[in-house]
Amino acid sequence: MRPALEVAQILRTAGPAWRSEHRGHLSLGQLRVMSAIEQCRSSALGGHVLQCSSCGEPQISYNSCRNRHCPKCQGSAALRWLENRQADLLPVPYYHVVFTLPAPIAAIAYTNKALLYGMLFDATAETLRRIALDPRHLGARIGATLVLHTWGSALTHHPHVHGIVPGGGLAPEADRWVRCKPGFFLPVRVLSRLFRRLFLEALLAAHDQGLLHFFGQDAELADPALFRQWLVPLRSIEWVVYAKRPFAGPKQVLEYLSRYTHRVAISNHRLLAYDEHGVTFRWKDYRAKGATRHKTMTLAAGEFIRRFLLHVLPTGLHRIRHYGLLANIGRKANLALARELLNAPAPAPDPVAKEPAAAPPVFVCRHCGAPMLIIEVMPRPLHIRAPPLRASS
């Protein structure tokens, strides 16, 4: 069911004035995201004129922007991604772990996104690898799929990584599968301490190499002495790492992945109203308990746009990554060995060749459900641009 209110409507209405007001303070990536979402499934991107093959009902279908920050385009992208991941599931329990950056580091991560998000991935993966390999805990080589989220439920900047990890791994000699204890993955206190140490070591090294950039109230942190002093309290606080109980089975793992892998900062279904008071949406207060967790919030349209754009990722940054046994290099061989040791080989191909199933229709009639036929293609309008200015001699 199509939601009554969409992020695209808010950007189309309030976006032009907001862009003009903040001219010079927006990145090219943020401007591109705004433009893509505003034009998504509109005549600006072209489309198709359709006719139902049964009832003859005409319909126009406009093209999608396919931007990874667009709430309308990520559902189909998630389904395509999941189809390619079903073969990777093993017949073992799967655990969900979350590693979160403290608020002071999240503040400087916003102006150093590519570097610090990469460090968050690497520190999380290395923490899981080391603790799992330790014979005092699991004593095995594990695999993990990590997904970056940069938002809290209220659209604040809250970088954290969700990890989906099989409940066990290959012994160092690769001669047996080592299982986790029932209902228990790895000690979160140990994970938290190592994660904190690894990340702070990498952060200090990046500062020494001059790779960090500081602005505004954080500008003084460019000084090495002040930066080391700023790190002192971060070495003593507890960093939030937690592990949830295992999923009930492979089906639940896929359902979870379909909700998390291609999620954007806010879905259209969370939007409630857009009027003279601003944008009202549902959010979850994790500090509250029970039914009081679910609340509504109203933000001025400009503030809503600002918070939404906080979560635009740097170009080329991969927010879904695979490590260990699930890394792209060696994944097929590792999974084959794991299935062999678990006595659960991959299903054999059907010896009787079958006709490939017909692909489902791309367009379906909203009235009778019959396939729609494309009777005309509407190309994307060509925008006339001025010729480049000739360089002065």
Side-chain angles (χ1 to χ4, degrees):
M1 182 177 176
R2 185 173 180 176
L5 179 61
E6 298 179 346
V7 172
Q9 295 172 243
I10 300 169
L11 294 182
R12 289 176 192 138
T13 305
W18 191 83
R19 271 195 299 266
S20 177
E21 181 183 352
H22 295 83
R23 187 182 302 275
H25 298 282
L26 299 175
S27 69
L28 180 60
Q30 290 173 325
L31 291 172
R32 284 176 173 168
V33 167
M34 290 187 72
S35 177
I37 296 177
E38 288 172 10
Q39 296 180 7
C40 187
R41 298 185 191 176
S42 71
S43 59
L45 297 183
H48 304 82
V49 178
L50 310 171
Q51 188 173 39
C52 179
S53 59
S54 177
C55 66
E57 181 71 20
Q59 181 181 323
I60 294 179
S61 177
Y62 294 117
N63 294 332
S64 302
C65 68
R66 297 189 179 184
N67 189 284
R68 62 174 170 170
H69 302 90
C70 177
K72 284 188 290 193
C73 292
Q74 292 309 297
S76 58
L79 291 177
R80 291 193 300 270
W81 187 84
L82 285 175
E83 289 176 0
N84 298 326
R85 285 285 165 259
Q86 292 191 31
D88 294 348
L89 288 177
L90 295 171
V92 299
Y94 278 73
Y95 290 82
H96 172 203
V97 293
V98 182
F99 290 73
T100 304
L101 291 180
I105 293 181
I108 65 171
Y110 180 70
T111 53
N112 298 272
K113 287 184 176 182
L115 179 64
L116 265 68
Y117 292 168
M119 288 167 51
L120 173 57
F121 271 117
D122 294 342
T124 298
E126 182 63 12
T127 297
L128 290 170
R129 186 193 70 82
R130 287 196 195 181
I131 301 303
L133 195 58
D134 190 331
R136 294 174 295 178
H137 301 295
L138 184 62
R141 295 187 294 117
I142 64 171
T145 294
L146 303 183
V147 183
L148 172 68
H149 285 185
T150 63
W151 55 85
S153 187
L155 292 181
T156 52
H157 190 236
H158 180 65
H160 56 286
V161 161
H162 293 265
I164 308 298
V165 191
L170 295 176
E173 300 80 12
D175 58 348
R176 60 191 175 90
W177 179 266
V178 182
R179 298 179 181 272
C180 292
K181 298 177 182 177
F184 179 80
F185 179 50
L186 294 171
V188 292
R189 178 70 61 89
V190 177
L191 292 172
S192 174
R193 300 283 172 82
L194 180 58
F195 172 61
R196 178 180 64 189
R197 178 167 68 84
L198 291 177
F199 191 94
L200 290 179
E201 287 176 354
L203 188 65
L204 184 57
H207 191 281
D208 291 342
Q209 297 172 38
L211 300 178
L212 296 176
H213 304 283
F214 302 98
F215 303 93
Q217 61 183 11
D218 296 322
E220 63 180 12
L221 295 180
D223 180 82
L226 290 176
F227 185 74
R228 281 168 167 76
Q229 184 179 353
W230 179 79
L231 290 178
V232 171
L234 293 172
R235 300 182 188 279
S236 57
I237 63 173
E238 292 293 337
W239 288 33
V240 178
V241 175
Y242 70 88
K244 293 186 177 181
R245 59 189 178 186
F247 296 98
K251 181 180 178 182
Q252 284 70 28
V253 176
L254 288 176
E255 289 177 353
Y256 175 85
L257 284 172
S258 67
R259 295 197 305 268
Y260 272 78
T261 52
H262 292 72
R263 181 176 287 186
V264 297
I266 187 169
S267 68
N268 289 326
H269 294 281
R270 285 176 55 197
L271 300 177
L272 299 177
Y274 175 38
D275 51 29
E276 66 275 9
H277 302 293
V279 181
T280 302
F281 60 93
R282 288 189 296 268
W283 71 292
K284 186 182 292 185
D285 185 355
Y286 289 94
R287 293 170 295 183
K289 301 296 182 182
T292 58
R293 271 189 167 192
H294 300 276
K295 302 177 179 180
T296 61
M297 176 181 294
T298 300
L299 298 175
E303 175 62 11
F304 176 85
I305 295 174
R306 185 193 73 83
R307 292 196 188 187
F308 182 81
L309 294 179
L310 287 176
H311 311 292
V312 172
L313 297 176
T315 301
L317 188 141
H318 295 277
R319 63 194 236 23
I320 305 173
R321 305 186 186 185
H322 308 280
Y323 294 88
L325 302 182
L326 301 180
N328 291 332
I329 299 178
R331 177 173 62 225
K332 186 177 294 186
N334 289 330
L335 291 175
L337 177 59
R339 290 192 181 95
E340 180 182 344
L341 296 174
L342 288 165
N343 196 26
D350 192 343
V352 180
K354 294 183 178 180
E355 291 293 329
V362 177
F363 303 105
V364 177
C365 180
R366 67 184 68 173
H367 298 284
C368 67
M372 301 287 286
L373 305 176
I374 299 175
I375 60 176
E376 183 183 346
V377 175
M378 298 184 297
R380 181 172 182 167
L382 296 177
H383 298 285
I384 300 175
R385 298 191 298 177
L389 295 176
R390 187 175 295 178
S392 57
S393 55

